[in-house]
Amino acid sequence: MEILTVKDVIFNQNLHYPSIDIFENHTTFLQGPSGCGKSTLLKLFNATLSPDQGVISYKGHDISTLNTITLRQEVLLVSQSVYLFDTSISENFDEYYRYRNLAPLSNEQKKDFLHICSADFDLASNCMNMSGGERQRIYLAICLSLMPKVFMLDEPTSALDYETATRVLENIKSFCQENEITLIVISHDANLTQHYADHIITLEKKV
């Protein structure tokens, strides 16, 4: 069953998207050359951007009619930029949960999500002292812990070596399957795409 659909969407007059179906509880990878609109499509899916024309639907409802805050909580985009506070890993979890008015996770729960993302660091460690790849994994863990309905990842392994990237994607996909979370991934790594995608959508750059 489709959870997200795109029909005759045009953005900024130069990005034309064909009919696209994202299937619920599956892992879909987006691929295509730079400038073809992969990252833009993810932002259209959670209404960070709005199309010039056409309709994007979430669970059968035109997203332009939905509450954007609720939509972005359910259709969560993890962009290439990492947003962490200059505090400990534990406090970063708490800050995100405070923002959403959610009860904080226990230390064990935080460690479980960090483990899924191969970020087995001391919860007291300051995030500002971490490398780019370590911060990326911590941020992934926090976002995954929020348990969205759709988890959208824009180049989630760009700062990771291949072995770590494989382990992280393997764990995230397994977790999403077990918890009925739809996973959408942009990756330039053809090997990761072929190995982990249930569906592959190829976008073309308009000449």
Side-chain angles (χ1 to χ4, degrees), residues 6-206:
V6 173
K7 300 296 181 187
D8 302 318
V9 164
I10 297 176
F11 177 75
N12 202 27
Q13 300 305 317
N14 66 342
L15 290 177
H16 295 239
Y17 294 97
S19 295
I20 295 172
D21 295 320
I22 303 294
F23 292 94
E24 192 171 16
N25 304 333
H26 287 211
T27 297
T28 300
F29 273 67
L30 304 179
Q31 64 179 17
S34 296
C36 70
K38 300 184 294 297
S39 297
T40 297
L41 181 59
L42 298 189
K43 293 174 182 176
L44 289 167
F45 278 150
N46 78 344
T48 300
L49 299 174
S50 299
D52 300 327
Q53 68 179 62
V55 177
I56 299 172
S57 298
Y58 171 59
K59 294 185 174 180
H61 301 283
D62 184 337
I63 65 169
S64 66
T65 68
L66 302 178
N67 180 285
T68 53
I69 293 176
T70 302
L71 176 67
R72 289 170 193 167
Q73 289 176 345
E74 293 193 11
V75 184
L76 180 59
L77 172 59
V78 182
S79 67
Q80 295 184 47
S81 299
V82 174
Y83 298 99
L84 293 174
F85 301 96
D86 187 9
T87 56
S88 70
I89 294 173
S90 183
E91 289 167 327
N92 266 273
F93 271 96
D94 293 344
E95 192 65 31
Y96 273 91
Y97 276 69
R98 192 177 300 116
Y99 178 76
R100 287 203 181 187
N101 295 315
L102 298 173
L105 298 180
S106 68
N107 284 344
E108 287 308 309
Q109 288 173 312
K110 294 172 184 176
K111 289 177 182 177
D112 287 342
F113 282 103
L114 289 169
H115 182 70
I116 290 170
C117 297
S118 294
D120 296 296
F121 309 118
D122 190 314
L123 289 174
S125 301
N126 191 300
C127 291
M128 295 301 105
N129 297 329
M130 300 289 185
S131 69
E134 290 168 343
R135 286 166 52 80
Q136 187 177 40
R137 282 174 278 160
I138 293 165
Y139 185 56
L140 275 172
I142 293 171
C143 292
L144 183 61
S145 77
L146 294 169
M147 299 295 291
K149 301 294 184 184
V150 181
F151 197 40
M152 303 191 297
L153 309 179
D154 191 350
E155 295 289 349
T157 60
S158 59
L160 307 181
D161 61 80
Y162 185 76
E163 181 180 348
T164 305
T166 301
R167 185 166 61 250
V168 169
L169 274 180
E170 178 80 38
N171 291 348
I172 289 177
K173 179 173 180 176
S174 295
F175 180 85
C176 288
Q177 287 178 324
E178 291 167 6
N179 291 277
E180 298 185 344
I181 297 171
T182 301
L183 184 59
I184 306 174
V185 183
I186 294 173
S187 176
H188 283 104
D189 192 314
N191 291 328
L192 293 177
T193 299
Q194 291 295 328
H195 191 76
Y196 292 108
D198 299 323
H199 306 281
I200 299 173
I201 294 174
T202 301
L203 301 179
E204 298 180 358
K205 186 174 183 180
K206 184 180 178 181

